[in-house]
Amino acid sequence: MFTYILDYNSKIPIYEQLYVHIKEDILSHIISSGEKLPSKRKLAAHLKISVMTVETAYEQLISEGYIYSVSKSGYYVNNIEKTLSITATDINPIPVRENLTRSDYIYEFKTNAVDTENFPFSIWAKLMREVLRDKDKELLNKSEPKGLYSLRIEIAKYLKAYRGINCQPEQIIVGAGSEYMINLIIQLLGENNKYAVENPGYHKIAKILSAYNIDTEYLPLDDYGVSMEHLIYSNINVLHVSPSHQFPTGIITPIKRRYEILKWAAEKNSYIIEDDYDSEFRYNGRPVPALQSLDNNSRVIYMNTFAKNLAPSLRISYMVLPWDLVYKFDNKFQFYSNTVSCFEQYTLTKFMAGGYFERHINRMRNIYKSRINTIKNCLNQNDNIVIKGENIGLHIVLEFNKNVDINLIIEKAKNKGIFTSNINNYYFKGNHPKPALVLGYSGINNENIVEAFKILNKIW
Amino acid sequence: MFTYILDYNSKIPIYEQLYVHIKEDILSHIISSGEKLPSKRKLAAHLKISVMTVETAYEQLISEGYIYSVSKSGYYVNNIEKTLSITATDINPIPVRENLTRSDYIYEFKTNAVDTENFPFSIWAKLMREVLRDKDKELLNKSEPKGLYSLRIEIAKYLKAYRGINCQPEQIIVGAGSEYMINLIIQLLGENNKYAVENPGYHKIAKILSAYNIDTEYLPLDDYGVSMEHLIYSNINVLHVSPSHQFPTGIITPIKRRYEILKWAAEKNSYIIEDDYDSEFRYNGRPVPALQSLDNNSRVIYMNTFAKNLAPSLRISYMVLPWDLVYKFDNKFQFYSNTVSCFEQYTLTKFMAGGYFERHINRMRNIYKSRINTIKNCLNQNDNIVIKGENIGLHIVLEFNKNVDINLIIEKAKNKGIFTSNINNYYFKGNHPKPALVLGYSGINNENIVEAFKILNKIW
């Protein structure tokens, strides 16, 4: 008979103590496989506990499969072979704590920074509170797979007004970031596609494609964007481009080249993924029309994000699909739940519908423009440096006319607390024709730009 | 000389009107390719506008590539071939409005419903307001790629306390829903894997795998979960299982079978994706230990979600990776931004740290348990129906002992406003051995259960 010491003063219920004792005895083979357990009544009497307590412990052991009951006979121990006995792959779980320390830089010309100082936080918080107050239970339901319909209406209106894009809310898919969108596109377009990205370009796209083992070509650029010669002689059928403000060179693809790319796509039945990531911030004249707005052949998948113009923490991007892909999504991918929380979708809807988004963009455009002017002023006396890509977006390229050691400049700047980056970092192969730096100015204010350039002007 | 009518009363600036006129003339070949434009001075005098206005219009045309300037000569029209001239694929954009109408059912036994009536909305809103007040600028920054560290600490504590899982926050990845997690796992595990899912099972997993054209086997179940015979003789190396409460059958895989599956994985160097989607809601005795907690060979990827136990709108799931995959993620996938908004991550952290999550789970467990009891009471007099899978989770199976036309029952129930589903819907191939219904009870309260069963008892 099993004799266990049960602790009546413990917080752990008696049935659970009994269950643990028996389980441990089974696992350590003190009770053998096939052995019959004492009846509930006998064990209860032996341990001076209630039959109900034993029954509860036995039921737990049954439900976990340690024992089984045979009708009108009793309880028996199962044959449990622990995986411990087999040779274990020796993985040593060294719990390395993640490095959560902040940057040591004082002046950061990062291209992925966003000006959180100028985010209209109090308005956003006010709208959030309104959503919390008004929406209540609706917030707990899932949104439609493509995103909240009301948000998609606002996005369609915005695209019409600011990017000349005519689209229906049905064509728009909202999702948790542009990288997630690329995942969706890969599934939408299916197998046996050959992708191309710009070289130099935005690394993450190529990384995602490579994570899926998808063939990717790197197309060189000329002064107008992707080289048509290379595009035409490639055998790719999905092209990722950023024609409004090529990353990182800042090239704005002119209308002629836009039509050439569209013609290529129409003739080859290829798709173009147009990444319009920072086109809101155009500082001179009207925006160049998006490829999507010039496309009569439904070849363009238009992508944009609120990460660059609002806050990266929001994780809200969207894309506009051509109708054939809309139908495909509706038929085959409706099973995907939308990845953005309803709460933030409602808040963003209010933010756009209330005109706050437009005002914020206009305000930020002026702020960013003044930063470019500050940089221009700071560079005034230097004939060796040419600014490129300064009419749009959130970063510029500084090209050096004389031969300088760009890595030495970056290193020296780093030692003075200034973050800059080499344009060659964005080349998958080859190098930029001239030594050049990429400077993002979305995360640094005018005062700090002036301070940083005092130092930089001494370095180069 | 170009003669355009300019509207001085219009809100559209004169330079923009001029730009539009010239652009349209270029596109309609009224001005030919190669033609020289009038000089800025001449055109300004002709139209009685300032030279600066003409210059702005010309610059816009240059930046969009319609014209180009030749130094010391003047402005010329580019050769723009519009894609209009080539044969367009005739896609007819019929803007079909999405069907946004609500369900017509009165009593819904849906398996994907969540009880939003009992969500602690006022507490959640209070925490949200606290986050808005206290966190301020931090909310605008991106979270770490794996998710907010403080949230991952709370999840690790919870897993330790409730599921016997020992893991470090470094092993946890937070993401926008379980479907997104499967996308990540596919990339983490790489090419040339053969996956298996349970048959019957949760359809979405197989759909995602098929969207990536990944070979998937459907493994049959016996009374204890995935059939070992089929598993051992398959050539798969990634197995998706729901051992705590198999969907839809409700089978709880006993400890013996758990060790067998783990042994198979260790010997074959395979991975197990353990989907623990509703294990919080266990109604009798202690929970069966998770596969992850029994695994000494780092073969288990543990997945769970807050969609089932909090609200589907939150889109927050997580997984616990074995260390080899943690290292792989840290080395190769840090480029992925986290897909969940910081705001909701902070709120959920507070919700868990404040003990609200635990209280909510305990409360819901009692509510759901009373619903099962209500169903049992409603079925009391019916010997032909056996309830399965009632000890855990958010749905049960009603198996009919006599031969009934299950689809006729579902149809009749539908006509009375009751939603039920045929278990065969969850079979990829084959049928359930007996006619059976799957009833989710997370979206229907006791009163409605009683009303629905008054009708159902008449139907079967």
Side-chain angles (χ1 to χ4, degrees):
Chain A
M1 190 63 78
F2 306 163
T3 304
Y4 298 120
I5 296 159
L6 302 169
D7 179 359
Y8 291 88
N9 297 318
S10 162
K11 275 186 186 169
I12 301 163
I14 297 300
Y15 89 87
E16 191 170 329
Q17 295 184 40
L18 180 60
Y19 148 82
V20 169
H21 283 303
I22 300 176
K23 184 177 88 168
E24 281 170 0
D25 283 356
I26 292 173
L27 285 174
S28 54
H29 300 292
I30 292 170
I31 314 175
S32 320
S33 149
E35 193 173 317
K36 187 177 175 179
L37 297 187
S39 77
K40 289 178 285 191
R41 220 176 34 79
K42 272 190 192 164
L43 187 58
H46 177 68
L47 295 173
K48 303 207 169 36
I49 55 178
S50 78
V51 174
M52 182 68 100
T53 303
V54 179
E55 185 170 322
T56 312
Y58 277 16
E59 271 172 10
Q60 181 63 27
L61 289 164
I62 290 172
S63 82
E64 296 192 12
Y66 289 98
I67 64 171
Y68 57 96
S69 79
V70 176
S71 184
K72 290 181 184 128
S73 163
Y75 299 91
Y76 296 85
V77 175
N78 255 318
N79 174 24
I80 290 158
E81 188 189 352
K82 281 192 71 175
T83 190
L84 278 171
S85 58
I86 72 154
T87 325
T89 322
D90 199 14
I91 292 168
N92 221 342
I94 311 159
V96 189
R97 291 271 312 185
E98 280 162 34
N99 183 8
L100 298 173
T101 55
R102 297 262 156 193
S103 160
D104 294 329
Y105 290 103
I106 309 162
Y107 310 107
E108 294 196 306
F109 289 101
K110 287 204 166 162
T111 57
N112 60 356
V114 163
D115 194 323
T116 49
E117 267 178 47
N118 286 298
F119 182 78
F121 201 82
S122 59
I123 289 167
W124 188 261
K126 179 183 140 260
L127 297 177
M128 273 184 153
R129 281 188 290 267
E130 281 178 24
V131 170
L132 271 177
R133 191 192 60 211
D134 303 341
K135 289 294 172 181
D136 208 64
K137 299 296 151 64
E138 292 165 53
L139 289 181
L140 301 172
N141 293 317
K142 280 203 257 186
S143 87
E144 299 90 37
K146 293 185 200 170
L148 221 58
Y149 198 79
S150 56
L151 174 59
R152 288 183 285 145
I153 289 173
E154 290 306 322
I155 292 172
K157 280 195 230 162
Y158 165 78
L159 288 175
K160 171 79 184 152
Y162 287 85
R163 302 299 286 129
I165 290 174
N166 275 310
C167 69
Q168 303 288 333
E170 282 76 8
Q171 288 174 271
I172 297 174
I173 298 185
V174 171
S178 302
E179 298 145 28
Y180 174 70
M181 289 304 187
I182 296 286
N183 279 277
L184 263 189
I185 290 172
I186 289 170
Q187 292 172 71
L188 261 176
L189 299 186
E191 269 193 309
N192 299 326
N193 289 307
K194 202 160 176 212
Y195 287 70
V197 296
E198 297 164 323
N199 180 43
Y202 183 58
H203 276 297
K204 282 194 187 176
I205 307 300
K207 279 187 183 166
I208 297 168
L209 293 168
S210 115
Y212 286 111
N213 298 294
I214 290 172
D215 273 352
T216 306
E217 244 182 67
Y218 299 99
L219 294 180
L221 310 176
D222 59 23
D223 290 348
Y224 310 114
V226 155
S227 152
M228 282 314 293
E229 202 183 337
H230 286 84
L231 180 59
I232 285 165
Y233 290 106
S234 75
N235 60 348
I236 67 117
N237 64 341
V238 186
L239 173 67
H240 180 274
V241 279
S242 49
S244 296
H245 187 229
Q246 204 276 334
F247 187 85
T249 62
I251 294 168
I252 301 173
T253 298
I255 201 81
K256 182 167 189 279
R257 176 64 55 86
R258 287 179 191 240
Y259 279 124
E260 286 169 349
I261 296 173
L262 287 167
K263 188 183 172 200
W264 162 83
E267 285 177 346
K268 292 268 181 95
N269 230 22
S270 296
Y271 285 103
I272 299 163
I273 303 170
E274 177 179 27
D275 197 339
D276 209 30
Y277 67 103
D278 63 2
S279 61
E280 292 84 0
F281 300 113
R282 183 164 173 82
Y283 310 111
N284 297 305
R286 290 176 68 258
V288 182
L291 280 180
Q292 204 277 357
S293 71
L294 304 170
D295 173 28
N296 296 306
N297 298 285
S298 297
R299 307 319 307 165
V300 176
I301 299 167
Y302 175 91
M303 279 182 60
N304 210 332
T305 175
F306 292 100
K308 293 274 174 191
N309 51 34
L310 269 177
S313 67
L314 285 180
R315 308 311 307 150
I316 310 183
S317 294
Y318 58 91
M319 60 182 172
V320 181
L321 294 178
W323 283 100
D324 57 334
L325 295 181
V326 174
Y327 294 139
K328 192 163 177 190
F329 185 91
D330 289 350
N331 288 321
K332 290 185 66 177
F333 292 92
Q334 288 275 2
F335 70 86
Y336 268 118
S337 310
N338 193 275
T339 45
V340 183
S341 90
C342 266
F343 184 71
E344 302 210 323
Q345 291 192 59
Y346 277 115
T347 308
L348 181 55
T349 307
K350 269 179 175 279
F351 192 75
M352 296 184 85
Y356 302 109
F357 182 64
E358 193 180 331
R359 253 170 274 166
H360 174 63
I361 294 290
N362 290 337
R363 192 166 152 264
M364 292 315 295
R365 193 184 290 114
N366 288 330
I367 290 171
Y368 292 143
K369 189 171 183 174
S370 83
R371 291 184 189 169
I372 298 178
N373 289 334
T374 305
I375 293 175
K376 280 184 182 168
N377 290 338
C378 290
L379 279 173
N380 206 12
Q381 291 107 332
N382 199 327
D383 290 339
N384 288 317
I385 298 176
V386 177
I387 301 180
K388 297 226 162 167
E390 78 275 24
N391 287 326
I392 187 170
L394 299 173
H395 73 274
I396 49 163
V397 174
L398 296 190
E399 258 184 21
F400 289 79
N401 282 325
K402 62 174 184 184
N403 212 2
V404 297
D405 182 344
I406 203 81
N407 287 323
L408 190 66
I409 290 175
I410 291 167
E411 189 59 31
K412 281 182 181 171
K414 186 184 169 186
N415 292 337
K416 298 281 183 187
I418 304 171
F419 177 89
T420 59
S421 53
N422 188 339
I423 198 168
N424 287 338
N425 294 345
Y426 303 101
Y427 275 79
F428 301 100
K429 47 187 182 184
N431 279 317
H432 201 66
K434 290 181 180 171
L437 293 175
V438 178
L439 301 189
Y441 45 81
S442 52
I444 183 165
N445 63 24
N446 278 326
E447 277 172 46
N448 282 330
I449 289 173
V450 170
E451 292 306 313
F453 270 84
K454 279 184 194 163
I455 302 166
L456 289 172
N457 280 328
K458 284 180 200 158
I459 290 175
W460 48 53
Chain B
M1 191 63 79
F2 305 165
T3 304
Y4 298 122
I5 296 158
L6 302 169
D7 179 359
Y8 292 87
N9 297 318
S10 164
K11 277 187 188 170
I12 300 163
I14 298 300
Y15 89 86
E16 191 170 331
Q17 295 183 40
L18 181 60
Y19 150 81
V20 169
H21 283 303
I22 300 177
K23 184 177 88 168
E24 280 170 1
D25 282 357
I26 292 172
L27 285 174
S28 55
H29 301 290
I30 291 170
I31 315 175
S32 321
S33 151
E35 192 171 319
K36 186 177 176 182
L37 298 188
S39 77
K40 288 180 284 189
R41 221 178 31 81
K42 274 192 191 162
L43 187 57
H46 177 68
L47 295 173
K48 305 205 166 38
I49 55 179
S50 79
V51 175
M52 182 67 101
T53 303
V54 179
E55 184 171 328
T56 312
Y58 277 15
E59 271 173 10
Q60 181 64 26
L61 290 165
I62 289 172
S63 83
E64 296 191 11
Y66 288 100
I67 63 173
Y68 58 97
S69 80
V70 175
S71 186
K72 291 179 182 132
S73 163
Y75 298 90
Y76 296 85
V77 175
N78 255 319
N79 174 24
I80 291 158
E81 187 187 354
K82 281 192 71 174
T83 189
L84 277 170
S85 57
I86 72 156
T87 324
T89 323
D90 199 13
I91 292 168
N92 220 341
I94 310 157
V96 189
R97 291 274 308 185
E98 282 162 34
N99 184 8
L100 299 172
T101 54
R102 299 261 156 192
S103 160
D104 293 330
Y105 290 102
I106 308 161
Y107 311 106
E108 294 195 303
F109 289 100
K110 286 203 168 163
T111 57
N112 60 356
V114 163
D115 193 323
T116 49
E117 267 178 48
N118 286 298
F119 181 78
F121 201 82
S122 58
I123 289 168
W124 189 260
K126 179 181 140 263
L127 297 177
M128 275 183 151
R129 280 188 291 266
E130 283 178 22
V131 170
L132 272 177
R133 192 193 57 210
D134 304 338
K135 290 293 172 183
D136 207 64
K137 300 295 151 64
E138 294 165 53
L139 288 181
L140 300 173
N141 294 317
K142 279 204 255 186
S143 88
E144 299 91 30
K146 294 185 198 169
L148 221 58
Y149 198 78
S150 55
L151 175 58
R152 288 183 286 144
I153 289 172
E154 291 305 322
I155 292 172
K157 282 197 228 163
Y158 166 79
L159 288 174
K160 171 79 183 151
Y162 286 86
R163 302 298 287 128
I165 289 174
N166 275 309
C167 69
Q168 302 288 333
E170 281 76 8
Q171 288 174 271
I172 297 174
I173 297 184
V174 172
S178 303
E179 297 144 28
Y180 173 71
M181 288 303 184
I182 296 286
N183 280 276
L184 263 189
I185 290 172
I186 289 170
Q187 293 173 71
L188 262 176
L189 299 186
E191 267 194 310
N192 299 325
N193 289 307
K194 202 161 177 212
Y195 287 70
V197 296
E198 297 165 322
N199 180 44
Y202 183 57
H203 276 296
K204 281 193 186 176
I205 307 300
K207 279 188 183 165
I208 296 168
L209 293 168
S210 115
Y212 286 111
N213 298 294
I214 291 172
D215 273 352
T216 307
E217 243 180 68
Y218 299 99
L219 293 180
L221 310 175
D222 58 23
D223 291 348
Y224 309 115
V226 156
S227 153
M228 281 316 293
E229 204 184 337
H230 286 83
L231 179 58
I232 286 166
Y233 291 106
S234 76
N235 60 347
I236 68 117
N237 64 340
V238 187
L239 173 66
H240 180 273
V241 279
S242 48
S244 296
H245 188 228
Q246 204 277 333
F247 188 86
T249 61
I251 293 169
I252 302 172
T253 298
I255 199 82
K256 183 169 188 280
R257 177 64 53 85
R258 287 178 189 238
Y259 279 123
E260 285 169 351
I261 295 173
L262 288 168
K263 189 185 171 198
W264 163 85
E267 286 176 348
K268 292 268 181 98
N269 229 22
S270 297
Y271 285 103
I272 299 164
I273 303 169
E274 177 178 26
D275 197 339
D276 209 30
Y277 67 103
D278 64 2
S279 61
E280 291 85 2
F281 300 114
R282 183 162 173 83
Y283 311 112
N284 298 304
R286 292 174 68 257
V288 182
L291 279 180
Q292 204 277 356
S293 71
L294 304 170
D295 173 27
N296 296 306
N297 298 284
S298 296
R299 305 323 305 166
V300 176
I301 299 166
Y302 175 90
M303 281 182 60
N304 211 331
T305 174
F306 292 100
K308 293 274 173 188
N309 50 34
L310 269 178
S313 66
L314 286 179
R315 309 311 307 149
I316 311 183
S317 293
Y318 58 91
M319 59 182 171
V320 180
L321 295 178
W323 282 100
D324 57 333
L325 295 181
V326 174
Y327 295 140
K328 192 164 178 188
F329 185 91
D330 289 349
N331 287 321
K332 292 185 64 176
F333 293 92
Q334 288 276 1
F335 69 86
Y336 267 119
S337 310
N338 193 275
T339 45
V340 182
S341 90
C342 267
F343 184 71
E344 302 210 324
Q345 290 193 60
Y346 277 115
T347 308
L348 181 54
T349 307
K350 270 180 175 276
F351 192 74
M352 295 183 87
Y356 301 110
F357 182 63
E358 192 181 333
R359 255 170 273 166
H360 175 63
I361 294 291
N362 290 336
R363 189 165 154 265
M364 292 314 295
R365 192 184 290 115
N366 287 330
I367 290 171
Y368 292 144
K369 188 171 182 172
S370 84
R371 290 184 189 169
I372 299 177
N373 288 334
T374 304
I375 293 176
K376 280 183 183 169
N377 290 336
C378 289
L379 279 173
N380 205 11
Q381 292 108 333
N382 200 326
D383 292 338
N384 288 317
I385 299 176
V386 178
I387 302 179
K388 297 226 162 165
E390 77 274 26
N391 288 325
I392 188 169
L394 300 172
H395 74 274
I396 49 164
V397 173
L398 297 189
E399 256 183 27
F400 289 78
N401 281 325
K402 61 174 186 184
N403 213 1
V404 297
D405 181 343
I406 203 79
N407 287 324
L408 190 65
I409 290 174
I410 290 167
E411 189 58 32
K412 281 183 179 171
K414 184 185 170 186
N415 292 337
K416 298 284 183 183
I418 303 171
F419 177 89
T420 59
S421 53
N422 188 341
I423 197 167
N424 288 336
N425 294 345
Y426 303 100
Y427 275 78
F428 300 100
K429 48 188 179 183
N431 279 317
H432 201 66
K434 289 180 179 173
L437 292 175
V438 178
L439 300 189
Y441 45 81
S442 52
I444 183 165
N445 62 24
N446 278 325
E447 276 173 47
N448 282 332
I449 290 173
V450 171
E451 291 307 313
F453 269 84
K454 279 185 192 161
I455 302 166
L456 289 173
N457 279 328
K458 283 180 199 154
I459 290 175
W460 48 51

